C-alpha cells in the first residue's frame, strides 16, 4: 500500500487505499456542510496516538473537518457500499449517513479509518436524511470508549460536533457528527455486497486487500482465502467471548454490523446487562430476542456462515471442495468460542489451570445468578473482593456449598491466593457503563449542554478494573424504577 505522507498542521496524514479497490465498492461524495458546528467533545489521548495535534483540532479549521464542512488535505471522502442480513433478511445497504475521509497513517505507521457519522446524505441514503442526533452519537462515544477501557477490540471515538441544525425524528433533535476511528470498516456485509453484485475478480481484490490490511502477520498457509476465513472466525470467537464475559449486548448483530477486523462496531441499541439473564434484550426493535445476550455466540456463527458463503468462489475451483473447506472451518467455531469463554471464566474465578469439573463450577454459579437475578458485574466483583455476602446469592444453601467447592478448587492449584486475587481483579471490571449512568450523562449533555457528567463518567470508565472510592459510586445499581430499560437505534 503506497502512502501520501503529506502531514497537515493538525497532523492529518491520509492514505486512501480503500479508494484504490474496484470502484463498485464505493461512491466518491461531495460534502454536505452544516451551518454552525461546535466541538463538544474531543478524545485527546486518542488524537495524540494518531499523531494529531489536539490544539489544532479544536481550532476553527479543525472543527470544520469534524463537521464535514472541509476536506483535510489528502482525504478523499467516500461512502462505502455494503449489503447485509438485517434480522435475517438480506438487503442492499451502504453508508447512508457516513463518509470515510481516508486512512490516517500514524507516526508508528499504523493505519486507521477516519469516518464521519451523521455527515449527510450519500448515494446510499435511500429515504434517510443522512444525519444523526446528538444523543446517540454521544452514546456511541461513551460505550465505545468504555469497551476500549475494558480491553475489548472496538472502533474508537475521536470527536463529536454539534451541527447547529435540528433533525426530525419523533421530535426535533439537535444534529451531530461523530468522528469514528476503526482498524477498517470492512464488514461481512462488504463481502456480501461483492458476492451478490460483483465479479469474482472484484471479490478476489477485496479478499486480497483484507488479508493485507488485517492479517499480514498471520500464516497464509497454502490457501490464503481459507486462512482468511479461519482468521476471521478466530477473531470473532475472541470478540464475542469477551462480550459475554463482561455482559455486553450489541443489540443489532446484523451482518453489516460485524467488522472483519474483529472490532466491535456500530453502537446502536447496545447496553450492558445488570441482572444475569441470558434472555436479556434492551433494543426496542428486537421484539423476538434474536440478539439477546445468550444468543450472541450462535448469531456470530450464523453471520460467519454468511461470510464463508461469499468466499466459496475463492476457496477452491471445485464447488463441492469449497463447501467442504468452508464447513470444516465453520465447524471449529464452537470449540474456539468455548475455549475463549472458558479461559475467560476461569480467570474471572481466579483459576489458572484446567480441571474437568470447572465447567460445572462455572455453570452452577451462573445458574444461581440467574435464579436470584444477581447483578452480573457486582457478583464477580464481590467474589473478587472476598465478600461472598455481597454477591446477592448469600443465604442460599446451594451457594454456600458452591463457595466451599470453589475455595477447594483454588486450593488445588499451585498459584498463591494473592495471584489468584490479582487475576480476578484484572478479569472482573468494577465498573461498566451502567445504563442509568449513561442516561444521566446524556441528559446533562443534550438537555442542559453540561458535558461535565459525561466527562466524569468517561474518566471512571477508562480504568474499569481499578477500585477507587470514586468508582464505588459508579458500581451502584439503579433504582428499580429505571426498568425495564429500553434502547433505540437512534437513526
Ligand atoms: P445502522 O442501523 O446504523 O447499522 O444502519 C443501517 C443502515 O441504515 C445503513 O445502511 C445506514 O447507513 C442506514 N442509515 C441509518 N440511519 C440513516 C439516516 N439517518 N440516513 C440515511 N441512512 C441511514
Ligand atoms: Mg450499521
Amino acid at each position: 500500500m503506497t502512502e501520501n505522507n503529506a502531514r497537515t498542521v493538525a497532523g492529518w496524514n491520509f492514505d486512501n487505499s480503500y479508494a484504490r479497490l474496484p470502484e463498485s465498492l464505493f461512491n466518491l461524495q461531495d460534502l454536505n456542510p452544516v451551518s454552525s458546528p461546535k466541538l463538544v467533545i474531543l478524545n485527546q489521548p486518542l488524537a495524540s496516538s494518531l499523531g494529531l495535534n489536539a490544539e489544532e483540532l479544536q481550532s476553527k479549521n479543525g472543527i470544520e473537518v469534524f463537521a464535514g464542512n472541509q476536506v483535510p488535505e489528502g482525504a478523499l471522502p467516500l461512502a462505502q457500499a455494503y449489503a447485509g442480513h438485517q434480522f435475517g433478511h438480506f438487503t442492499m445497504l451502504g453508508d447512508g449517513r457516513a463518509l470515510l475521509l481516508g486512512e490516517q497513517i500514524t507516526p508508528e505507521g499504523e493505519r486507521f479509518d477516519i469516518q464521519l457519522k451523521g455527515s449527510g446524505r450519500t448515494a446510499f441514503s435511500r429515504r434517510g436524511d443522512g444525519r444523526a442526533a446528538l444523543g446517540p452519537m454521544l452514546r456511541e462515544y461513551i460505550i465505545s470508549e468504555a469497551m476500549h477501557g475494558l480491553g475489548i477490540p472496538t472502533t474508537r471515538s475521536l470527536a463529536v460536533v454539534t451541527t447547529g441544525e435540528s433533525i426530525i425524528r419523533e421530535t426535533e433533535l439537535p444534529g451531530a457528527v461523530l468522528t469514528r476511528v476503526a482498524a477498517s470498516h470492512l464488514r461481512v456485509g462488504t463481502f456480501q455486497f461483492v458476492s451478490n453484485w460483483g465479479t469474482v475478480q472484484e471479490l478476489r481484490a477485496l479478499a486480497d486487500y483484507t488479508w493485507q490490511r488485517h492479517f499480514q502477520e498471520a500464516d497464509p498457509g497454502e490457501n490464503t482465502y481459507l486462512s482468511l476465513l479461519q482468521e476471521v472466525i478466530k477473531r470473532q470467537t475472541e470478540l464475542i467471548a469477551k462480550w459475554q464475559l463482561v455482559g455486553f449486548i450489541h443489540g443489532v448483530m446484523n451482518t453489516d454490523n460485524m467488522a472483519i477486523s474483529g472490532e466491535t462496531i456500530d453502537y446502536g441499541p447496545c447496553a450492558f446487562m445488570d441482572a444475569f439473564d441470558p434472555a436479556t434484550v434492551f433494543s426496542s426493535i428486537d421484539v423476538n430476542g434474536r440478539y439477546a445476550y445468550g444468543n450472541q455466540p450462535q448469531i456470530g456463527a450464523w453471520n460467519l456462515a454468511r461470510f464463508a458463503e461469499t468466499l466459496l468462489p475463492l476457496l477452491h475451483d471445485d464447488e463441492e471442495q469449497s463447501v467442504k473447506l468452508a464447513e470444516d472451518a465453520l465447524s471449529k467455531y464452537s470449540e474456539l468460542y468455548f475455549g475463549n469463554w472458558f479461559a475467560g471464566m476461569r480467570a474471572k474465578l481466579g483459576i489458572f489451570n484446567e480441571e474437568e469439573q470447572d465447567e460445572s463450577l462455572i455453570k452452577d454459579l451462573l445458574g444461581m445468578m440467574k435464579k436470584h437475578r444477581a447483578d452480573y458485574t457486582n457478583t464477580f466483583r464481590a467474589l473478587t473482593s472476598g465478600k461472598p455476602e455481597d454477591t446477592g446469592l448469600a443465604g442460599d444453601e446451594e451457594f454456600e456449598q458452591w463457595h466451599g467447592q470453589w475455595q477447594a478448587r483454588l486450593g488445588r492449584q499451585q498459584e498463591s491466593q494473592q495471584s489468584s486475587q490479582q487475576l480476578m481483579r484484572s478479569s472482573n471490571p468494577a465498573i461498566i457503563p451502567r445504563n442509568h449512568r449513561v442516561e444521566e450523562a446524556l441528559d446533562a449533555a443534550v438537555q442542559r449542554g453540561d458535558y461535565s457528567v459525561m466527562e466524569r463518567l468517561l474518566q471512571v470508565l477508562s480504568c474499569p478494573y481499578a477500585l477507587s472510592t470514586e468508582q464505588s459510586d459508579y458500581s451502584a445499581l439503579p433504582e428499580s424504577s429505571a426498568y425495564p430499560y429500553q434502547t433505540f437505534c437512534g437513526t
Side-chain angles (χ1 to χ4, degrees):
M1 290 180 192
T2 55
E3 289 156 27
N4 286 334
N5 282 320
R7 200 171 284 278
T8 66
V9 193
W12 291 117
N13 181 31
F14 282 109
D15 183 39
N16 307 284
S17 67
Y18 189 86
R20 294 192 286 273
L21 281 168
E23 52 187 32
S24 62
L25 271 157
F26 57 90
N27 208 79
L28 294 179
Q29 297 287 152
D30 291 331
L31 298 181
N32 302 291
V34 295
S35 60
S36 42
K38 203 172 138 241
L39 183 67
V40 293
I41 192 147
L42 174 69
N43 191 335
Q44 301 219 13
L46 177 59
S48 58
S49 75
L50 291 168
L52 297 169
N53 177 331
E55 212 168 298
E56 286 294 328
L57 295 179
Q58 294 172 73
S59 71
K60 182 161 186 312
N61 280 340
I63 296 170
E64 295 280 48
V65 169
F66 288 141
N69 283 3
Q70 209 180 85
V71 182
E73 208 175 303
L76 191 59
L78 60 84
Q80 293 177 310
Y82 54 85
H85 275 90
Q86 297 198 303
F87 290 90
H89 303 286
F90 186 71
T91 182
M92 173 61 202
L93 294 160
D95 288 332
R97 55 161 173 173
L99 282 182
L100 178 68
L101 292 182
E103 300 131 31
Q104 170 75 358
I105 310 298
T106 71
E108 281 73 42
E110 286 187 289
R111 177 181 298 262
F112 291 99
D113 272 12
I114 305 292
Q115 193 204 57
L116 303 181
K117 187 167 172 182
S119 50
R121 287 181 55 79
T122 73
F124 305 110
S125 296
R126 287 158 293 159
R127 285 188 298 279
D129 61 1
R131 293 294 176 190
L134 177 59
M137 294 305 98
L138 294 178
R139 197 162 192 286
E140 168 154 350
Y141 191 115
I142 295 171
I143 312 271
S144 63
E145 288 307 301
M147 293 291 269
H148 176 71
L150 286 164
I152 300 177
T154 176
T155 63
R156 305 283 307 275
S157 296
L158 179 60
V160 175
V161 294
T162 48
T163 59
E165 295 169 7
S166 297
I167 62 166
I168 310 295
R169 294 295 180 262
E170 275 108 56
T171 56
E172 216 172 286
L173 298 170
V177 181
L178 168 81
T179 302
R180 177 155 81 176
V181 179
S184 86
H185 285 82
L186 298 166
R187 303 156 189 268
V188 168
T190 315
F191 281 79
Q192 290 182 293
F193 167 77
V194 178
S195 160
N196 234 265
W197 291 290
T199 63
V200 175
Q201 285 83 338
E202 287 172 336
L203 182 66
R204 194 181 302 278
L206 176 64
D208 290 344
Y209 175 81
T210 304
W211 180 268
Q212 226 201 330
R213 187 147 176 193
H214 294 300
F215 302 100
Q216 243 177 359
E217 263 121 64
D219 177 9
E222 278 172 27
N223 181 344
T224 314
Y225 304 113
L226 178 60
S227 303
L228 174 64
L229 175 59
Q230 289 164 335
E231 291 296 322
V232 172
I233 291 172
K234 187 165 147 250
R235 285 199 194 175
Q236 282 304 325
T237 60
E238 288 165 3
L239 179 68
I240 297 173
K242 287 195 163 115
W243 290 356
Q244 299 305 99
L245 290 165
V246 298
F248 173 77
I249 304 169
H250 183 284
V252 248
M253 288 178 72
N254 294 333
T255 54
D256 50 301
N257 293 335
M258 184 181 262
I260 299 292
S261 67
E263 287 184 341
T264 313
I265 195 169
D266 276 2
Y267 291 88
C270 60
F272 282 71
M273 179 169 60
D274 293 307
F276 178 74
D277 183 353
T280 307
V281 174
F282 291 113
S283 170
S284 60
I285 58 168
D286 191 2
V287 283
N288 296 318
R290 178 180 169 94
Y291 299 139
Y293 170 77
N295 286 351
Q296 295 189 126
Q298 76 197 59
I299 290 290
W302 191 89
N303 289 351
L304 289 164
R306 306 290 79 74
F307 176 59
E309 283 163 6
T310 72
L311 294 180
L312 290 178
L314 304 179
L315 290 177
H316 202 282
D317 292 338
D318 178 73
E319 201 183 321
E320 238 171 80
Q321 291 290 326
S322 281
V323 172
K324 169 99 181 51
L325 289 171
E327 282 175 354
D328 283 352
L330 290 165
S331 72
K332 304 281 181 337
Y333 180 93
S334 243
E335 193 186 325
L336 286 168
Y337 168 76
F338 280 110
N340 293 324
W341 185 79
F342 276 124
M345 271 293 170
R346 282 195 177 93
K348 282 174 90 69
L349 290 175
I351 300 172
F352 286 90
N353 59 346
E354 292 182 20
E355 277 187 13
E356 210 162 305
Q357 309 95 294
D358 291 344
E359 185 170 344
S360 56
L361 191 71
I362 293 163
K363 292 197 164 155
D364 289 349
L365 174 64
L366 293 176
M368 286 182 284
M369 285 167 67
K370 177 164 184 268
K371 184 170 102 190
H372 291 279
R373 294 196 61 75
D375 182 81
Y376 183 74
T377 306
N378 289 357
T379 298
F380 280 104
R381 202 60 202 194
L383 293 176
T384 304
S385 323
K387 292 186 180 152
E389 64 277 16
D390 291 346
T391 52
L393 305 174
D396 184 330
E397 207 169 295
E398 196 189 345
F399 175 66
E400 307 305 329
Q401 224 173 37
W402 179 91
H403 194 262
Q405 282 168 3
W406 174 48
Q407 290 300 307
R409 170 69 181 88
L410 293 181
R412 285 199 298 275
Q413 61 187 10
Q414 283 181 346
E415 285 77 5
S416 67
Q417 210 175 351
Q418 213 180 6
S419 349
S420 193
Q421 225 165 36
Q422 196 51 45
L423 177 63
M424 289 182 74
R425 212 164 294 161
S426 58
S427 311
N428 294 308
I431 302 295
I432 50 158
R434 297 258 175 207
N435 301 319
H436 66 297
R437 287 293 190 177
V438 174
E439 293 302 326
E440 170 190 72
L442 294 181
D443 268 0
V446 179
Q447 311 300 336
R448 306 194 296 279
D450 172 8
Y451 285 81
S452 64
V453 184
M454 172 169 166
E455 270 154 20
R456 255 197 325 274
L457 177 61
L458 286 167
Q459 187 64 38
V460 176
L461 290 170
S462 68
C463 290
Y465 298 97
L467 197 55
S468 61
T469 340
E470 197 194 9
Q471 276 184 323
S472 58
D473 251 8
Y474 286 84
S475 63
L477 300 183
E479 302 285 329
S480 55
S481 62
Y483 284 94
Y485 184 70
Q486 255 199 341
T487 54
F488 301 91
C489 265
T491 49

